[in-house]
Amino acid sequence: MGIRFILMVNKQGQTRLAQYYEWLTLEERRALEGEIVRKCLARNDQQIRFELMFEFLCSYAGVLAGWLALNEQCSFVEHRNYKIVYRRYASLFFMVGVDDDENELAILEFIHLLVETMDKHFGNVCELDIMFHLEKAHFMLEEMVMNGCIVETSKANILSPIQLMDKAH
Amino acid sequence: MEQLKTIGRELAMGSQGGFGQSKEFLDLVKSIGEARSKAEEDRIVLSEIDILKRKLLEPDIPKRKMKEYIIRLVYIEMLGHDASFGYIHAVKMTHDDNLLLKRTGYLAVTLFLNEDHDLIILIVNTIQKDLRSDNYLVVCAALNAICRLINEETIPAVLPQVVDLLNHQKEAVRKKAIMALHRFHRKSPSSVSHLISNFRKRLCDNDPGVMGATLCPLFDLITEDVSSYKDLVSSFVSILKQVTERRLPKSYDYHQMPAPFIQIKLLKILALLGCGDKSASEIMSMVLGDLFRKCDSSTNIGNAILYECIRCISCIIPSPKLLEAAADAISKFLKSDSHNLKYMGIDGLGRLIKISPDIAEQHQLAVIDCLEDPDDTLKRKTFELLYKMTKSSNVEVIVDRMTDYMISINDNHYKTEIASRCVELAEQFAPSNQWFIQIMNKVFEHAGDLVNIKVAHNLMRLIAEGFGEDDDDADSKLRLSAVESHLQIMSEPKLPSLFLQVISWVLGEYGTADGKYSASYISGKLCDVADAYSSDETVKGYAVSALMKIYAFEIASGRKVDVLPECQSLIEELLASHSTDLQQRAYELQALLALDARAVESILPLDASCEDIEVDKDLSFLNGYIQQAIESGAQPYISERERSCMLETTDYHSQDHHEVPSHALRFEAYERPKPSSLPTQASTELVPVPEPSYYSEAHQPISTSSVSERESSEIKLRLDGVKQKWGRPSYQSSTSASSTPPQAANGTSSHPDVGVGSSSLKPRSSYESKKPEIDPEKQRLAASLFGGSSTSRSDRKSSSGGHKPAKGTASKPPKENPIPVQPPPDLLDFGEPTATSVTATDPFKELEGLMDSSSQDGGSTDVMGVLYSDAAPVTTTTSVDSLLSELSDSSKGNPGTYQSQTSKGPNSKEALEKDALVRQMGVNPTSQNPTLFKDLLG
């Protein structure tokens, strides 16, 4: 099926956006998110020391500037039957749960494309942009991913329905 | 810092206009954002739930306000709380005319509801209406909802409209309609089976977005049925070519790469289509070669495409050139500093190794680096690779590493996986039984609760059966080593239940067998186990049975048994146990202690766990007796099933005839409860049948008495096809042979290799020698993994050489067992009955080969005689496999015992037999056949 879920979680482990492409009950989601976040955050502990410096920069420059190039570890974690591809932008983690036979590098770049798209719309997107415009972030995802498959990768095509709606208001 | 950021953002928000959000909403989001802990967040959400419950009850909520409430509900669910009280408002919002509100409504509904929720039915109508809308954005919103909410039953309600939309003038609508069909196909393939051609049509859509989306359903369809889409190979290739030549609009570029996600999807499809298809592979080889040349390996996305190419090549039948290109790409990945690329490289290596096994060798040090990397993900991936390249020459190193890693991790899911892999590899490639037992002990000790119970049974069986029936010396050595290792491990504080069962069993069977340990010592240990794990009834049961065996052996050998006081108290405790099983065991033990030596010996003979106990399920030995009884006038047995049918019919008739009022006394007996699992429909069927001749005499009495008493005799139970259990042997005569299980297939799984320890000395690869500064420890590891020369190998040689060769298997020629992974044909090729070479070989040639080799070890010429007499029926199967099993089968002369051996899980035993035999015969495989060893170790 490809993509099973997309999560955005901040570094305190609080969910900022969650989209599942298969049905899980509230309890299952809660448990899954807890486990995944713990795993990914623990892996990132080694990089904590860079954090202060970056956070200061990122709070003004937006999350795109905060992508840590100094990646000491794989951006992939196995969890139960999922493989989680995650990428950190400043205080936000983007996590995508995929099937075992998905191309992890491509998913990693898909996350970046998503962030670039949001950046294009919000301008230096940050955690609060997503929080204040949760539905817009979801609309973008709806354009990009359907049935767990990546269906649209052109930023113009992704954003045009959202811009049209904005104009109407 | 956090606050500073928030303030900054708030300012920025002001300049953006804030989407007209109310202060209330902003405050909520802010407070959630500033929550310092999960508890604080929960508090905020709970109070928010209260507020919303109240507010949603207010009349005439302005729409804009309502939209905010809906988003607040989304927040509540996202943060893990139930917002079902507000679902209906989200459903209502989907009816709204305003596009933004409608889309928000749909979004909330798709997030809240699963496809089987009751509220969905309220939305289907709205969706139908929206699909007809003039505003294409409304149509898109409805199609989005369809992809999430429509289940199998509601598909027909929207299907015709969705099909119409496939030709909509807006590409966005066509794209989403295709995805809706895709979803229908997943939910219920039959509902859209007549619409499959639309997917092909949309592949040629002139909008690249629609074409790209169509690849998703096509990928699924091709996965299910490759052969019907072979005609599309050249289309996919030409699309891929056009994409790489930048014919798509610039907006699809990502980091200067033209439409990379479409390229990747196309490569996945090509991999499916080219799998095992030479001509398809040739068509795509050109474009794959171009991709390797063109792809920019300095960006992540370029590498993602390269990796997909590697995967594609590992699936299709590649040209040598492509293989080389893939190998180059992998070596670039492995040499990179990025962990992600290393990971992809290891993965690619694991895929490519299947078609070109020697590729791993040049990367051995990189692989070792990854294995020792602190990054867990990389380590696991590398273990996966090692698992794929395990063979008997490196199994010890790999499994040792795996068990060490298994011990070090806590994640049960992964621990189970690693443990089962260890077991699998150990069973398949074990160089010696001692080693196998050691590994199993380790696995049981640390992951005993996670492994399959079959593994424990296999281990017990291995210990019981040993090498072969003739070499008692080696067997008892093996058992002694098992007993010793178990006695040692027993002192560990907390052991898994399954492992304790194995330990108890082994101690019971073989604890005193060697005379090294006294009965009182072993029984004391067993009592300790029962004591320490008193809550585990299974373990206690095993322990008591073991005690019983120990005492039985003592009594049988004429020694006086003095039951230890703690044993006595254990028995007394169990006599009063709540578990009937334990009680029974305790009573049996008590009774056994009172018997004399002769009786005890026949109850529990020494080392008889492998003896076959034949159970004649059909009780055919009673036939004579029954025959006699019937002749003297007894009624034959009627099976329960038949009986219940008859009762039913009598019942039916009785009701039919005298309509008993329900409150009156009933004079008939109550009907027998019918077994619920019976297919009553079929068995109660009453049809007039011509009386079967074989049935008439014997069964006449019953049929007259029960069925045809009231009715005329033309209605009869239909009994043809019902197997007769007792009485005269029926037409479905069951012979006593049916009690033995069907012949276990010999050699269906992959087999271990020959000559484990004595591997050839390989010159070190140039890669290795060029880097003298590398840690010698690492080099040693690399060598042992990849088959170079090293000290660890010679260690292994001496250790595995320690066990005695088996005599019992001499009738099995050493070359009989196949070599697992290596496809290239060599001298030993004829002995490879696994799927790879079965069809290509002529069975008679094999027989000649076997004849030659088996005549070397002498004493088996009669076997060949047997074989040749058997050869005629065997050859009809044309499977080398069955020939070989026939050979070894007949050579044993006793099919029963042979079966019990082959059915024993571990192929390791065969490896051992072979291994031992090779050594016994003094055949040095290295000198005899150097190619084989190159294959094995390469």
Side-chain angles (χ1 to χ4, degrees):
Chain A
M1 174 157 139
I3 298 174
R4 309 278 208 95
F5 57 81
I6 296 174
L7 287 178
M8 298 183 199
V9 176
N10 73 4
K11 68 179 196 295
Q12 280 95 27
Q14 294 158 317
T15 311
R16 291 293 168 250
L17 181 145
Q19 179 65 276
Y20 291 82
Y21 295 96
E22 62 189 341
W23 180 257
L24 295 178
T25 64
L26 211 57
E27 290 73 37
E28 286 167 336
R29 294 179 187 201
R30 230 181 138 133
L32 183 71
E33 283 169 30
E35 286 164 26
I36 291 172
V37 167
R38 232 171 293 131
K39 240 181 195 173
C40 292
L41 292 192
R43 281 173 66 78
N44 247 66
D45 272 351
Q46 297 179 339
Q47 291 170 10
I48 284 292
R49 57 185 176 277
F50 301 109
E51 200 168 277
L52 281 175
M53 186 176 73
F54 267 89
E55 194 175 299
F56 189 75
L57 284 174
C58 300
S59 58
Y60 295 99
V63 293
L64 250 192
W67 159 239
L68 296 175
L70 290 153
N71 213 14
E72 290 180 350
Q73 293 190 309
C74 283
S75 311
F76 323 127
V77 190
E78 282 167 39
H79 180 72
R80 297 203 220 159
N81 305 320
Y82 304 110
K83 201 170 281 170
I84 291 132
V85 180
Y86 69 98
R87 205 162 177 167
R88 185 180 169 182
Y89 293 89
S91 60
L92 257 199
F93 285 87
F94 287 68
M95 302 168 177
V96 179
V98 293
D99 280 343
D100 207 33
D101 58 347
E102 199 57 51
N103 182 334
E104 292 92 345
L105 265 187
I107 297 295
L108 196 66
E109 290 310 286
F110 168 76
I111 295 177
H112 197 71
L113 174 67
L114 172 64
V115 175
E116 280 184 358
T117 310
M118 294 203 288
D119 213 51
K120 191 171 174 189
H121 182 77
F122 293 113
N124 283 340
V125 66
C126 74
E127 190 181 330
L128 277 167
D129 287 322
I130 295 166
M131 290 185 78
F132 283 121
H133 304 284
L134 189 62
E135 75 281 12
K136 278 194 182 180
H138 270 293
F139 293 159
M140 286 178 210
L141 273 183
E142 276 181 344
E143 298 298 323
M144 295 175 82
V145 182
M146 291 177 89
N147 304 342
C149 303
I150 300 171
V151 291
E152 186 57 80
T153 53
S154 148
K155 281 174 214 148
N157 286 359
I158 297 166
L159 291 177
S160 79
I162 295 156
Q163 286 157 350
L164 282 173
M165 271 192 288
D166 272 1
K167 256 182 224 159
H169 290 268
Chain B
M1 179 70 69
E2 196 71 15
Q3 272 156 345
L4 189 71
K5 211 172 113 188
T6 314
I7 294 164
R9 274 294 133 187
E10 252 179 296
L11 288 173
M13 206 61 68
S15 66
Q16 271 183 18
F19 223 35
Q21 287 148 327
S22 69
K23 174 139 192 336
E24 218 178 36
F25 180 74
L26 294 177
D27 284 345
L28 170 71
V29 170
K30 224 172 76 184
S31 64
I32 291 173
E34 284 167 1
R36 287 264 153 243
S37 65
K38 187 75 196 154
E40 192 182 337
E41 187 187 276
D42 283 345
R43 237 184 350 262
I44 297 167
V45 174
L46 287 174
S47 78
E48 177 68 12
I49 290 175
D50 283 342
I51 297 169
L52 277 182
K53 272 185 180 160
R54 231 175 319 122
K55 295 225 167 188
L56 283 171
L57 288 176
E58 286 170 13
D60 302 328
I61 304 168
K63 283 177 179 175
R64 201 155 277 265
K65 195 105 196 146
M66 192 48 138
K67 180 191 158 233
E68 240 175 58
Y69 291 157
I70 300 289
I71 291 174
R72 283 156 79 169
L73 288 172
V74 172
Y75 257 103
I76 290 170
E77 289 243 319
M78 186 176 83
L79 297 173
H81 296 264
D82 178 49
S84 54
F85 62 89
Y87 288 175
I88 190 67
H89 298 279
V91 172
K92 267 191 216 152
M93 186 162 270
T94 61
H95 304 323
D96 203 286
D97 293 331
N98 180 309
L99 175 63
L100 180 63
L101 298 187
K102 184 185 275 298
R103 200 157 172 196
T104 308
Y106 275 132
L107 171 70
V109 170
T110 58
L111 290 172
F112 292 152
L113 308 181
N114 78 347
E115 57 182 36
D116 298 321
H117 199 281
D118 294 338
L119 290 174
I120 298 287
I121 209 69
L122 299 177
I123 303 167
V124 173
N125 216 345
T126 321
I127 289 177
Q128 283 176 325
K129 202 182 96 227
D130 288 343
L131 287 177
R132 283 191 293 268
S133 168
D134 294 334
N135 185 343
Y136 84 94
L137 288 174
V138 172
V139 181
C140 284
L143 286 170
N144 272 338
I146 284 177
C147 284
R148 304 294 298 266
L149 299 176
I150 294 296
N151 66 12
E152 210 178 325
E153 283 140 47
T154 37
I155 288 175
V158 291
L159 185 59
Q161 284 174 297
V162 170
V163 174
D164 286 346
L165 291 172
L166 287 173
N167 295 311
H168 198 274
Q169 53 174 359
K170 268 291 186 188
E171 59 279 352
V173 176
R174 293 201 298 271
K175 181 173 68 192
K176 283 177 195 280
I178 273 287
M179 292 315 283
L181 270 195
H182 179 214
R183 156 93 179 182
F184 297 161
H185 175 72
R186 271 190 187 162
K187 286 285 147 195
S188 153
S190 60
S191 68
V192 290
S193 53
H194 58 294
L195 299 165
I196 297 295
S197 61
N198 283 296
F199 293 125
R200 283 165 174 265
K201 239 185 267 167
R202 284 302 130 213
L203 186 63
C204 312
D205 199 288
N206 45 24
D207 179 73
V210 181
M211 181 275 293
T214 313
L215 296 177
C216 303
L218 279 174
F219 177 78
D220 282 10
L221 287 168
I222 294 171
T223 312
E224 287 157 22
D225 173 22
V226 181
S227 52
S228 338
Y229 294 89
K230 291 282 185 189
D231 57 310
L232 286 179
V233 173
S234 46
S235 315
F236 287 126
V237 168
S238 83
I239 295 173
L240 183 55
K241 210 161 173 243
Q242 288 175 39
V243 174
T244 54
E245 285 167 357
R246 300 182 180 274
R247 304 272 192 84
L248 294 194
K250 266 262 180 279
S251 68
Y252 283 92
D253 282 11
Y254 173 80
H255 294 190
Q256 280 84 51
M257 186 63 73
F261 295 97
I262 291 178
Q263 287 192 42
I264 286 167
K265 200 87 206 175
L266 281 166
L267 284 168
K268 278 185 195 295
I269 290 174
L270 288 181
L272 290 177
L273 288 169
C275 181
D277 184 337
K278 187 96 187 150
S279 63
S281 302
E282 272 162 17
I283 300 175
M284 58 186 81
S285 70
M286 177 80 161
V287 72
L288 284 171
D290 283 351
L291 275 174
F292 272 117
R293 236 169 300 124
K294 276 188 199 163
C295 252
D296 172 16
S297 60
S298 65
T299 60
N300 258 343
I301 195 68
N303 286 322
I305 292 174
L306 278 178
Y307 166 76
E308 205 57 58
C309 289
I310 295 169
R311 277 181 70 152
C312 183
I313 283 169
S314 73
C315 290
I316 66 172
I317 302 172
S319 65
K321 232 176 167 177
L322 277 181
L323 211 54
E324 203 180 306
D328 282 351
I330 286 178
S331 67
K332 261 188 219 158
F333 284 175
L334 286 172
K335 282 178 194 149
S336 148
D337 286 333
S338 153
H339 273 62
N340 288 343
L341 287 187
K342 279 187 187 168
Y343 177 93
M344 304 312 268
I346 294 279
D347 185 88
L349 201 56
R351 288 170 193 277
L352 222 53
I353 214 167
K354 274 180 274 175
I355 44 174
S356 127
D358 49 336
I359 180 180
E361 196 156 344
Q362 50 181 311
H363 301 303
Q364 36 184 294
L365 285 177
V367 172
I368 302 295
D369 275 339
C370 292
L371 191 63
E372 291 178 346
D373 198 277
D375 184 349
D376 215 38
T377 308
L378 198 52
K379 205 178 249 179
R380 285 182 191 186
K381 197 76 195 171
T382 316
F383 272 118
E384 213 178 292
L385 171 69
L386 291 184
Y387 167 73
K388 282 181 194 156
M389 51 182 264
T390 306
K391 44 205 171 191
S392 50
S393 60
N394 56 17
V395 64
E396 287 165 272
V397 193
I398 289 178
V399 174
D400 279 351
R401 287 250 157 186
M402 274 182 152
T403 43
D404 286 348
Y405 180 62
M406 180 194 79
I407 292 166
S408 72
I409 56 174
N410 301 319
D411 178 345
N412 270 357
H413 180 82
Y414 201 62
K415 208 171 193 159
T416 315
E417 198 181 313
I418 286 266
S420 68
R421 282 187 170 173
C422 284
V423 171
E424 190 189 327
L425 291 179
E427 285 183 350
Q428 212 172 337
F429 299 109
S432 74
N433 276 354
Q434 270 92 346
W435 180 84
F436 181 71
I437 288 174
Q438 263 176 25
I439 292 297
M440 291 319 234
N441 284 349
K442 246 190 197 174
V443 170
F444 276 119
E445 191 180 340
H446 297 281
D449 296 325
L450 305 170
V451 294
N452 194 313
I453 193 158
K454 274 192 193 140
V455 176
H457 295 163
N458 274 346
L459 177 60
M460 290 192 256
R461 204 183 294 156
L462 178 93
I463 295 172
E465 285 171 357
F467 295 97
E469 54 267 47
D470 290 346
D471 196 349
D472 290 338
D473 188 34
D475 286 356
S476 59
K477 239 185 183 166
L478 166 76
R479 287 161 188 166
L480 183 64
S481 78
V483 169
E484 276 174 344
S485 65
H486 285 167
L487 282 173
Q488 208 179 349
I489 292 172
M490 269 170 93
S491 49
E492 302 280 328
K494 181 85 186 108
L495 291 174
S497 166
L498 196 58
F499 191 34
L500 286 166
Q501 292 164 30
V502 175
I503 290 178
S504 304
W505 186 86
V506 169
L507 290 185
E509 283 288 332
Y510 305 112
T512 56
D514 207 57
K516 189 172 171 188
Y517 300 103
S518 71
S520 63
Y521 178 73
I522 299 286
S523 54
K525 283 282 182 187
L526 286 167
C527 285
D528 290 347
V529 168
D531 231 30
Y533 300 89
S534 55
S535 55
D536 190 334
E537 287 189 356
T538 326
V539 170
K540 262 160 114 179
Y542 267 86
V544 175
S545 294
L547 277 177
M548 181 147 67
K549 282 182 215 160
I550 298 277
Y551 290 136
F553 300 155
E554 285 296 292
I555 295 169
S557 64
R559 279 187 288 267
K560 171 146 173 28
V561 176
D562 31 34
V563 180
L564 292 178
E566 61 253 46
C567 293
Q568 198 58 55
S569 64
L570 175 72
I571 294 168
E572 270 155 26
E573 180 204 322
L574 294 185
L575 285 174
S577 168
H578 287 299
S579 154
T580 45
D581 176 63
L582 287 180
Q583 223 179 31
Q584 166 110 11
R585 283 174 205 256
Y587 273 109
E588 278 172 10
L589 174 54
Q590 209 178 32
L592 182 122
L593 287 173
L595 292 173
D596 66 53
R598 219 176 50 80
V600 168
E601 197 172 5
S602 59
I603 297 170
L604 280 172
L606 190 63
D607 188 19
S609 58
C610 310
E611 303 296 314
D612 281 330
I613 299 170
E614 287 207 6
V615 178
D616 187 352
K617 283 191 199 129
D618 290 332
L619 308 180
S620 55
F621 56 90
L622 288 175
N623 280 353
Y625 174 75
I626 292 163
Q627 196 58 41
Q628 237 175 12
I630 290 178
E631 271 160 20
S632 59
Q635 287 191 355
Y637 173 74
I638 312 160
S639 77
E640 194 172 8
R641 190 175 136 143
E642 291 159 47
R643 240 173 340 193
S644 65
C645 306
M646 287 172 191
L647 280 164
E648 212 157 87
T649 52
T650 27
D651 192 49
Y652 167 76
H653 287 301
S654 68
Q655 281 186 0
D656 216 28
H657 280 254
H658 23 251
E659 292 294 323
V660 192
S662 55
H663 50 268
L665 274 175
R666 279 185 67 171
F667 292 99
E668 292 94 349
Y670 282 97
E671 64 205 50
R672 231 173 148 277
K674 292 174 255 349
S676 58
S677 61
L678 276 183
T680 41
Q681 201 71 27
S683 58
T684 55
E685 197 182 359
L686 279 169
V687 274
V689 276
E691 239 174 25
S693 57
Y694 58 82
Y695 174 75
S696 52
E697 312 90 7
H699 292 254
Q700 200 59 43
I702 341 125
S703 46
T704 42
S705 64
S706 58
V707 183
S708 33
E709 211 153 24
R710 266 158 272 194
E711 287 293 316
S712 69
S713 63
E714 71 198 63
I715 289 185
K716 279 270 146 61
L717 274 175
R718 196 155 65 172
L719 283 177
D720 43 341
V722 179
K723 193 172 154 190
Q724 195 177 349
K725 271 263 157 103
W726 285 355
R728 285 149 34 113
S730 67
Y731 61 99
Q732 274 186 326
S733 65
S734 55
T735 61
S736 58
S738 67
S739 64
T740 52
Q743 170 74 44
N746 185 18
T748 41
S749 57
S750 54
H751 281 244
D753 323 6
V754 196
V756 177
S758 45
S759 45
S760 61
L761 287 172
K762 234 177 203 257
R764 293 202 173 183
S765 69
S766 54
Y767 178 55
E768 207 177 329
S769 54
K770 260 184 256 163
K771 293 189 168 182
E773 72 279 9
I774 288 158
D775 183 9
E777 184 69 31
K778 228 177 237 179
Q779 282 189 356
R780 208 163 33 243
L781 178 60
S784 50
L785 283 175
F786 295 89
S789 67
S790 76
T791 48
S792 74
R793 193 165 31 72
S794 54
D795 290 347
R796 184 154 29 86
K797 193 172 173 179
S798 61
S799 72
S800 56
H803 72 90
K804 285 271 156 53
K807 287 178 226 134
T809 54
S811 59
K812 243 187 205 175
K815 296 173 182 181
E816 190 182 322
N817 279 341
I819 305 102
V821 197
Q822 291 72 17
D826 57 30
L827 286 173
L828 295 199
D829 197 28
F830 67 81
E832 190 170 302
T834 37
T836 47
S837 67
V838 166
T839 49
T841 49
D842 174 12
F844 279 101
K845 284 241 175 71
E846 257 88 86
L847 284 176
E848 279 161 30
L850 289 172
M851 178 76 151
D852 288 341
S853 57
S854 60
S855 60
Q856 287 174 7
D857 49 45
S860 56
T861 36
D862 53 330
V863 172
M864 298 317 290
V866 177
L867 177 72
Y868 269 106
S869 64
D870 280 356
V874 165
T875 42
T876 53
T877 64
T878 67
S879 151
V880 187
D881 201 346
S882 61
L883 268 175
L884 292 175
S885 65
E886 195 73 29
L887 166 67
S888 41
D889 201 346
S890 53
S891 67
K892 291 263 158 71
N894 181 357
T897 48
Y898 179 68
Q899 272 156 14
S900 66
Q901 286 203 346
T902 42
S903 57
K904 181 183 61 143
N907 287 320
S908 65
K909 183 160 167 282
E910 287 176 25
L912 286 164
E913 287 170 357
K914 183 157 33 68
D915 198 2
L917 193 69
V918 166
R919 261 183 244 120
Q920 184 197 21
M921 288 165 49
V923 180
N924 184 354
T926 321
S927 56
Q928 196 180 47
N929 186 3
T931 21
L932 165 69
F933 275 82
K934 211 170 122 219
D935 291 333
L936 287 175
L937 304 168

